[in-house]
Amino acid sequence: MLLFPSEIEQNKKLIRQYCRKKRHELFLRGKLDRISKLITENILKSNIFKNSKHIMLFYPLKEEINLLELLKCDDKFFYFPKCDGKNLLVCPNTGNFEKNQYLIPEPVSPPIKDLSILDIIFTPALCADESKFRLGYGGGFYDRFFTLNSLRALKIIPINEEFICKSLPYDKYDVACDGIITQYHEIGINT
């Protein structure tokens, strides 16, 4: 379990810096690829994934969990987020991407209109807590997206087990996810 030094435990900015540093250390030690592979294997075995058709992934930055192996499942429809101002659009995967202003690859396909078709939204995070709150990069894109009334998808955080803590500071704009999948097990996912 991730423990923060007491001087940062209530400061999101300092927690982000701390988690980025720890994640970078894992990357330098060559462990992130193995962790991503194990998380992907756990997703493939999960009933939630097996019973889903429409799945939103995120395009990983070099030190993020990489779920792109899931794209090999030809019985599923995959989607990726695209930034539109302060909001996220959901676009079908066609395999064609271009980098946005944050240098994150985004799909070039037009966005879908009916978000209710999504079954799972895999959500990136620097860390997460036992209540399934996550700490992202601070832009609020996913939290705003999660408040849309048409969404019914399960919000799942794929994360290294070492980046789960007892609790994170959160405010009225933060939205808890529905579950967590690590390299070892699932947390809070009802199958």
Side-chain angles (χ1 to χ4, degrees), residues 88-105:
L88 286 184
L89 303 175
V90 178
C91 302
N93 176 49
T94 61
N96 295 321
F97 295 86
E98 59 185 29
K99 290 186 178 179
N100 66 14
Q101 72 264 27
Y102 306 108
L103 302 178
I104 299 169

Side-chain angles (χ1 to χ4, degrees), residues 56-59 79-91 100-102 104-107 109-113 115 118 121-124 134 137 139-148 150-151 155:
M56 183 170 151
L57 300 175
F58 57 89
Y59 203 97
Y79 305 83
F80 285 89
K82 182 180 206 168
C83 291
D84 180 36
K86 292 190 171 229
N87 299 308
L88 286 184
L89 303 175
V90 178
C91 302
N100 66 14
Q101 72 264 27
Y102 306 108
I104 299 169
E106 294 182 328
S109 56
I112 62 172
K113 303 238 186 283
L115 297 177
L118 295 175
I121 300 168
F122 285 111
T123 309
R134 57 179 276 282
Y137 297 99
F141 288 94
Y142 279 90
D143 291 311
R144 281 189 295 278
F145 178 63
F146 291 157
T147 65
L148 297 176
S150 56
L151 278 181
K155 302 173 293 295

